[in-house]
Amino acid sequence: MTAKTHTVEKIGGTSMSRSHELLRTVLIGDRKGSALYNRVFVVSAYGGMTDALLEHKKSDEPGVYALFASAESGWQWGDALSSVASKMVAKNAEVFSDPAPREQADKFIRERIEGVRSCLIDLSRLCSFGHFQLEAHLLTVREMLSALGEAQSAFNTALLLKQNGVNARFVDLTGWRQDGELPLDEHIARQFAGIDFASEMPIVTGYAQCAEQLMKTYDRGYSEVTLSRVAVVTGACEAIIHKEFHLSSADPRLVGADKVQVIGETNYDVADQLSNMGMEAIHPRAAKSLRQAGIPLRVTNAFEPDHPGTVIMSDLEPKTPGAEIVTGLKGVFALEFYDQDMVGVKGYDTKILEALTRHKVWIISKTSNANTITHYLKGSMKAIKRVETDLAEAFPTASMTLRKLAMVSAIGRNLRGVNILPRAIAALAEAGIEPIGLTDMVRKVDLQVLVEEDEFDKAVVALHKGLVEERAERKARADIRRVA
Ligand SMILES: Nc1ncnc2c1ncn2[C@@H]1O[C@H](COP(=O)(O)OP(=O)(O)O)[C@@H](O)[C@H]1O
Ligand SMILES: N[C@@H](CC(=O)OP(=O)(O)O)C(=O)O
C-alpha cells in the first residue's frame, strides 16, 4: 500500500447503469496520465440486478433468493436465475459494442451464474433429504447470489477502462472459489497488498465475502460498508459516493430540479437521520466507520464531475439554523401496542424490542405514553405480523393495531429557534394536509410528520416549500437589505 493520498469512491447502482457516461465523467473525463490514478472505485451492481437476484428493495417483489427461500415456489427460482442471466447478458451487450470484450464479459458471468446454480440445486436436493435444514444455509445463499451482481459490474468496468487505455485492475472481494473466510478488514488488506495506487486503478466489488457476513450484518446497501472499510483499511484521505443526483434539499424527481438546492455541507448527524429514513445518503454503519477514522465523506453527482457536491464531516456546525432536507418514507407500519396494565410497570418496551429484533424489523422511531407504545417500522408485513403474534402471546391483555402510513421528516444540523413546528403545521395546512401524528424532537435535528400514504408527495412538496424554499427566500431578502 502506498502514501495516504488516494480517495476511495463508490458508484451506486442507478449510476452504474449509465457506464458510458461514467467514462466521460468520474472514471476518465479529461484526466490524463497520473491524474487518473490514486483513485479506488467500489462499484454496486447495475441498477435492478440485486433486486432481481434477491428481492425488490422497495416493493419486496421476490427475486431468485426469495423464491429459493420460500417452500411454496418449488423450482421457480431456476427460471428466475435464468432470467437474471439474460438480463446480465443484455447489459453486457449494452456496455460492450465490440464482440471480443463482450464475449469475455458473457463468459465471466455465465460461469459464475452456472456455478451458483449447480450449488443451489445440490443444496436443494441435500435439504430435501431431511437431515439438513435449508434455513441454516439461507444466508450463505443470499450472499452467493448478491455477489453475482457486483462481480459483473466490477469485472465489466475494469475491462471497459482497460479498453480505454486505463491501467485498471479488477479487485474481486466476493471470495469466488476461495477457501475459508477472513474478517472483512483482513480480507481487504490481503486483496490490496501489492497494488500500486499511483499507477493502477482498482475496480472493487461492492460485495465482500467475510467472516462477519456482510448481508447478515448490514443487509442491502452493503456496498457503502465496503467503501468505508476499504477507505479505512487503505488509509484514504477522502471517501466519495457518486450518485445519480446531487444530494439535494428534497428528491428532485418529486419536488422539481429547479426548486431543490444542492446541500453544500452537512454533518454525520444529519447523514444518520437520512439513512434512518431509507434515504441511503450513506449506510448508517458506513458513516460510523468513516466518522471514527476522521475521514471526510463527499457525496457528488456522478454526471456533474466539476461540481464539488456535499461534504459530510463530524463537527460541521451550520452557519444558520434551519431545515436542510425534507425526505421521507412510504409504507411505514405504525404498530400501536396498548395495555392498561402497563401504567407504572417496566419491561414492556424490552419485550417489544426483543420481538422486533428477532424478526429483523427496522425501527424508524417510536413514541409512548402511560399505556401505549407505538413503533414506526419498516419491514415486510409478514415479519411484522410475526411480531404481533409473539406479543399477543406474551401479553394476553394487550391490544394491538397496525396501520400503514407515510413519514416525512425535515432534517437539519440545528433546528433550534426557527419556529420549525408552527411553520411546518402552517405549510401542511396550506396544502390541505392534516397530519396524523407529529414528533418534534428535543434534540432539534429532525421533525417527523405522519401522513396518509397517498398524501406523501404533497406533504414533501409542502414542507420543502414552507421550511426550505421560504427560508432561502428570507435569507436572500436579508442579504439584499444588508447590501442596501
Ligand atoms: N434529497 C435527495 N437528493 C437526491 N436524490 C434523492 C433525494 N431523495 C431521493 N432521491 C432519489 O434517490 C435516487 C437515487 O438514489 P441513489 O442512492 O443515487 O441510487 P444508487 O445508490 O442506486 O445510485 C434518485 O432517483 C432520486 O430521485
Ligand atoms: N447492489 C446492492 C448493494 C448496494 O449498495 O447497492 P446501491 O449502491 O445501488 O444502493 C443492493 O442493491 O443492495
Side-chain angles (χ1 to χ4, degrees):
M1 259 166 268
T2 46
K4 299 185 176 192
T5 49
H6 67 282
T7 51
V8 178
E9 319 192 7
K10 179 214 140 177
I11 306 176
T14 328
S15 307
M16 278 303 287
S17 301
R18 295 161 65 180
S19 282
H20 287 277
E21 284 172 78
L22 288 175
L23 284 184
R24 294 194 293 272
T25 57
V26 290
L27 290 171
I28 304 182
D30 44 24
R31 292 171 195 82
K32 286 198 175 61
S34 60
L36 284 162
Y37 301 99
N38 279 312
R39 299 180 309 146
V40 174
F41 286 94
V42 174
V43 298
S44 291
Y46 296 117
M49 288 303 175
T50 318
D51 287 347
L53 285 162
L54 306 178
E55 68 284 308
H56 195 285
K57 205 169 183 173
K58 303 240 155 80
S59 72
D60 253 353
E61 186 192 327
V64 182
Y65 171 78
L67 292 168
F68 185 83
S70 102
E72 306 92 62
S73 325
W75 293 93
Q76 265 184 55
W77 64 266
D79 296 338
L81 188 59
S82 302
S83 98
V84 175
S86 311
K87 218 171 145 159
M88 287 184 156
V89 166
K91 189 72 209 173
N92 289 349
E94 205 185 298
V95 177
F96 300 104
S97 44
D98 292 348
R102 192 171 67 228
E103 276 160 25
Q104 236 179 301
D106 287 352
K107 184 170 173 281
F108 171 83
I109 201 60
R110 278 231 159 85
E111 193 188 306
R112 295 229 170 173
I113 289 182
E114 293 319 314
V116 171
R117 189 196 300 275
S118 58
C119 204
L120 296 192
I121 292 173
D122 289 347
L123 180 64
S124 195
R125 289 217 177 102
L126 194 68
C127 292
S128 66
F129 199 71
H131 282 67
F132 297 90
Q133 297 306 309
L134 190 60
E135 277 285 313
H137 304 285
L138 282 180
L139 197 59
T140 312
V141 170
R142 193 167 169 78
E143 300 245 338
M144 271 189 108
L145 284 166
S146 58
L148 292 173
E150 276 78 24
Q152 181 196 23
S153 61
F155 179 86
N156 284 6
T157 308
L159 191 58
L160 191 61
L161 282 162
K162 277 188 235 162
Q163 275 197 301
N164 283 273
V166 178
N167 187 21
R169 185 204 275 228
F170 169 45
V171 179
D172 187 1
L173 296 180
T174 67
W176 182 250
R177 295 198 186 278
Q178 262 172 31
D179 289 336
E181 283 168 345
L182 293 172
L184 182 56
D185 286 5
E186 213 178 311
H187 182 41
I188 292 172
R190 284 208 193 176
Q191 295 294 321
F192 276 84
I195 299 184
D196 177 18
F197 294 154
S199 63
E200 282 180 283
M201 185 193 283
I203 306 296
V204 190
T205 55
Y207 170 80
Q209 193 201 31
C210 56
E212 298 92 319
Q213 293 194 293
L214 211 61
M215 295 292 286
K216 179 178 172 195
T217 327
Y218 309 106
D219 210 15
R220 300 291 299 270
Y222 49 79
S223 60
E224 275 161 22
V225 177
T226 308
L227 160 92
S228 68
R229 290 322 301 172
V230 170
V232 174
V233 172
T234 64
C237 58
E238 190 175 65
I240 305 177
I241 296 180
H242 299 289
K243 294 172 73 75
E244 202 193 5
F245 286 105
H246 283 296
L247 185 59
S248 313
S249 53
D251 187 345
R253 287 194 210 260
L254 217 152
V255 174
D258 54 327
K259 299 224 167 51
V260 299
Q261 301 156 23
V262 179
I263 313 276
E265 51 165 54
T266 196
N267 62 17
Y268 278 118
D269 193 353
V270 166
D272 287 344
Q273 311 305 331
L274 294 179
S275 30
N276 190 38
M277 296 304 295
M279 237 227 50
E280 300 163 24
I282 179 166
H283 196 290
R285 307 283 279 273
K288 185 172 162 186
S289 287
L290 296 173
R291 176 168 46 78
Q292 286 173 342
I295 301 174
L297 170 70
R298 188 182 293 277
V299 182
T300 72
N301 179 334
F303 308 100
E304 272 188 42
D306 298 327
H307 193 294
T310 309
V311 178
I312 302 174
M313 280 195 275
S314 276
D315 304 309
L316 213 47
E317 287 302 318
K319 288 191 191 80
T320 51
E324 293 168 39
I325 288 201
V326 175
T327 183
L329 265 179
K330 277 188 189 170
V332 172
F333 288 100
L335 178 63
E336 193 179 275
F337 177 99
Y338 163 76
D339 192 342
Q340 283 209 295
D341 293 349
M342 190 195 297
V343 189
V345 182
K346 295 223 164 44
Y348 282 80
D349 239 332
T350 318
K351 277 267 185 296
I352 301 174
L353 287 178
E354 277 167 9
L356 291 169
T357 312
R358 198 161 43 246
H359 298 293
K360 299 195 182 74
V361 179
W362 178 263
I363 305 169
I364 304 165
S365 73
K366 70 153 92 185
T367 52
S368 69
N369 67 15
N371 52 21
T372 312
I373 301 173
T374 308
H375 279 90
Y376 299 99
L377 308 165
K378 191 79 194 148
S380 70
M381 179 66 122
K382 211 157 95 189
I384 295 170
K385 283 278 175 207
R386 286 189 182 137
V387 171
E388 257 193 306
T389 312
D390 286 7
L391 292 177
E393 250 171 54
F395 301 102
T397 55
S399 63
M400 278 168 279
T401 54
L402 188 62
R403 231 176 127 171
K404 211 161 163 215
L405 303 169
M407 183 181 280
V408 182
S409 181
I411 303 167
R413 283 168 282 177
N414 177 9
L415 301 181
R416 274 174 226 284
V418 285
N419 288 323
I420 190 100
L421 189 57
R423 281 190 205 280
I425 293 172
L428 290 166
E430 201 182 314
I433 301 169
E434 193 184 336
I436 300 167
L438 211 146
T439 319
D440 187 11
M441 311 281 180
V442 178
R443 246 191 94 228
K444 296 281 183 215
V445 287
D446 62 337
L447 174 83
Q448 295 176 347
V449 183
L450 290 152
V451 294
E452 296 291 356
E453 272 203 300
D454 59 1
E455 287 188 325
F456 174 80
D457 293 7
K458 228 165 72 177
V460 171
V461 171
L463 287 173
H464 186 264
K465 184 165 184 287
L467 303 178
V468 179
E469 290 166 52
E470 286 180 11
R471 175 180 166 225
E473 283 160 20
R474 276 197 305 280
K475 186 176 172 300
R477 281 198 297 273
D479 287 347
I480 291 169
R481 274 202 303 277
R482 207 170 307 127
V483 174

